[in-house]
């Protein structure tokens, strides 16, 4: 985001709004489509439970589309512009075709005037009282197309959601995805979403995972609250690749996980870094250039499809799927555990 806004007011929001978000949109299919019925092996448990490899070429294809959307709309996807609304339509149409329960949530308080909606998608299987959320901001700044910030998180999440629908494993818990509006103006879309939930709905969310800038060209491997229980599967995956992840200090309080954190919900997530500089110790263990920004195109017009670290993008997307499967798919032992 550009502007930090920590104002927490006692605004009371309609409790009914939260219920309206969870698949109440009558235009949306809430059941998987024909051809996605559970596989015969699903009932047998562990056999199907291994997390899939997310196809990074498909994630990159989403980035190409988001880039084209920016180019058609004045070069950006800022929350108040057509580039943002077209981004929402792109993600929404893919999810709809895959069988998600979708809702667009207009941000009616705290967002920039004219900002487009949040997009919420829930996979309609698993225990509705145990929800794991995965989110990314879909808006960008006005200066450029916002492909690493944050097409990368948005596209990795979209392809993970589509892969879940394709694989259609037996679910222990609910998985809900959020693509947030107006993050760049102060974490506003996610803040509005969290405030729109009733106390009961908030308590159902056992953890929120955030993905903001997961393909920085000179990046590192950062995890929010790296030593927390919520982070355990995220860390386990990157540890398995010997990446030696570090705490995401640069991103603390700067992205949408902060909205959930303030509400007392455990949070984690991946990030590869923004405008801060890589240290020599980090360059020694991860490669890249010391004393240079993790993303030299941060919030600039050069944040295009050329500004993507495909290796980092792949490792992030695969770790998201690993975490989702571990937490929410049945037969993995992680489905019903909190945090
Ligand atoms: N992605 C940055 C933004 O939206 O401006 C915030 C950020 C910085 C997030 C560093 C994570 C790490
Ligand atoms: Zn961002």
């Amino acid at each position: 985001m550009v502007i930090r806004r920590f104002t927490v007011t006692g605004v009371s929001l309609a409790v009914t709004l939260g219920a309206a978000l969870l698949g109440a949109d009558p235009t949306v299919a809430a059941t998987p489509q024909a051809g996605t019925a559970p596989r015969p092996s699903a009932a047998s448990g562990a056999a199907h439970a291994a997390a899939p490899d997310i196809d990074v070429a498909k994630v990159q294809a989403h980035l190409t589309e988001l880039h084209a959307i920016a180019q058609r709309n004045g070069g950006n996807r800022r929350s108040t512009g057509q580039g943002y609304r077209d981004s929402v339509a792109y993600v929404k149409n893919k999810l709809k075709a895959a069988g998600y329960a979708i809702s667009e949530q207009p941000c009616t308080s705290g967002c920039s005037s004219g900002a487009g909606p949040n997009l919420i998608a829930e996979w309609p299987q698993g225990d509705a009282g145990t929800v794991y959320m995965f989110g990314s901001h879909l808006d960008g700044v006005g200066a450029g197309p916002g492909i690493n910030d944050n097409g990368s998180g948005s596209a990795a999440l979209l392809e993970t959601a589509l892969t879940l629908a394709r694989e259609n494993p037996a679910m222990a818990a609910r998985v809900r995805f959020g693509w947030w509006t107006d993050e760049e103006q102060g974490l506003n879309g996610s803040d509005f979403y969290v405030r729109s939930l009733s106390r009961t709905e908030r308590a159902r969310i056992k953890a929120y995972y955030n993905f903001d800038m997961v393909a920085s060209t000179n990046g590192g491997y950062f995890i929010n609250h790296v030593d927390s229980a919520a982070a355990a599967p995220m860390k386990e995956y990157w540890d398995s690749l010997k990446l030696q992840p570090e705490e995401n200090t640069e991103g603390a309080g700067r992205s949408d996980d902060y909205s959930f954190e303030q509400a007392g919900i455990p949070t984690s997530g991946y990030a590869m870094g923004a405008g801060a500089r890589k240290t020599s110790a980090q360059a020694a263990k991860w490669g890249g250039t010391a004393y240079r920004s993790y993303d030299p195109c941060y919030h600039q017009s050069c944040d295009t499809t050329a500004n993507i670290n495909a290796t980092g993008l792949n490792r992030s997307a695969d770790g998201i799927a690993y975490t989702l499967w571990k937490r929410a798919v049945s037969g993995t032992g992680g489905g019903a555990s909190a945090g």
Side-chain angles (χ1 to χ4, degrees), residues 180-201:
W180 311 121
T181 187
D182 216 31
E183 185 273 356
E184 295 289 4
Q185 313 306 324
L187 320 180
N188 298 325
S190 58
D191 183 69
F192 180 79
Y193 174 77
V194 172
R195 290 172 190 275
S196 76
L197 299 174
S198 69
R199 186 185 292 266
T200 305
E201 286 163 342

Side-chain angles (χ1 to χ4, degrees), residues 161-176:
L162 297 178
T163 304
L164 176 65
R166 270 197 306 271
E167 299 258 326
N168 195 20
M171 301 300 290
R174 277 292 150 121
V175 174
R176 189 183 304 156

Side-chain angles (χ1 to χ4, degrees), residues 29-38 93-100 123-124 165 168:
T31 47
Q33 296 188 321
T36 58
N93 288 336
K94 296 276 178 194
L95 293 166
K96 228 171 159 171
Y100 274 86
W123 186 240
N168 195 20

Side-chain angles (χ1 to χ4, degrees), residues 8 21-22 105 118-120 131-137 157 176-181 183 186-198 201-211 224-225 230 253-269:
V8 181
L21 295 177
L22 306 178
Q105 180 189 43
N118 289 324
L119 181 66
I120 313 293
V131 178
Y132 289 97
M133 273 199 85
F134 296 79
S136 292
H137 72 87
L157 218 53
R176 189 183 304 156
F177 298 94
W179 284 268
W180 311 121
T181 187
E183 185 273 356
L187 320 180
N188 298 325
S190 58
D191 183 69
F192 180 79
Y193 174 77
V194 172
R195 290 172 190 275
S196 76
L197 299 174
S198 69
E201 286 163 342
R202 257 179 249 166
R204 289 182 177 139
I205 303 173
K206 305 310 174 194
Y208 169 78
Y209 295 97
N210 196 63
F211 305 97
N224 302 345
H225 303 309
R254 288 181 61 183
S255 191
D256 298 297
D257 48 311
Y258 190 63
S259 301
F260 288 79
E261 194 176 315
Q262 281 180 304
I265 295 166
T267 63
S268 186

Side-chain angles (χ1 to χ4, degrees), residues 1-3 137 139 141 148-150 183-185 187 210-213 222 224 248-257 270-276 294 298-299:
M1 64 169 167
V2 177
I3 300 158
H137 72 87
D139 67 314
V141 292
N148 187 39
D149 185 13
N150 187 29
E183 185 273 356
E184 295 289 4
Q185 313 306 324
L187 320 180
N210 196 63
F211 305 97
D212 189 353
M213 307 182 75
F222 301 108
N224 302 345
N248 182 17
T249 50
E250 183 194 22
R254 288 181 61 183
S255 191
D256 298 297
D257 48 311
Y270 285 148
M272 291 196 72
Y294 299 119
Y298 176 55
H299 285 181

Side-chain angles (χ1 to χ4, degrees), residues 61-100:
H62 300 316
L63 292 178
T64 299
E65 292 298 326
L66 292 174
H67 193 214
I69 286 169
Q71 285 177 311
R72 286 198 294 274
N73 291 286
N76 69 72
R77 300 184 302 103
R78 64 174 174 234
S79 63
T80 53
Q82 191 62 36
Y84 178 74
R85 291 189 290 272
D86 286 4
S87 300
V88 170
Y90 175 76
V91 174
K92 180 179 178 175
N93 288 336
K94 296 276 178 194
L95 293 166
K96 228 171 159 171
Y100 274 86

Side-chain angles (χ1 to χ4, degrees), residues 24-25 68 203 241 255 289 298:
D25 182 343
L241 301 179
S255 191
T289 309
Y298 176 55

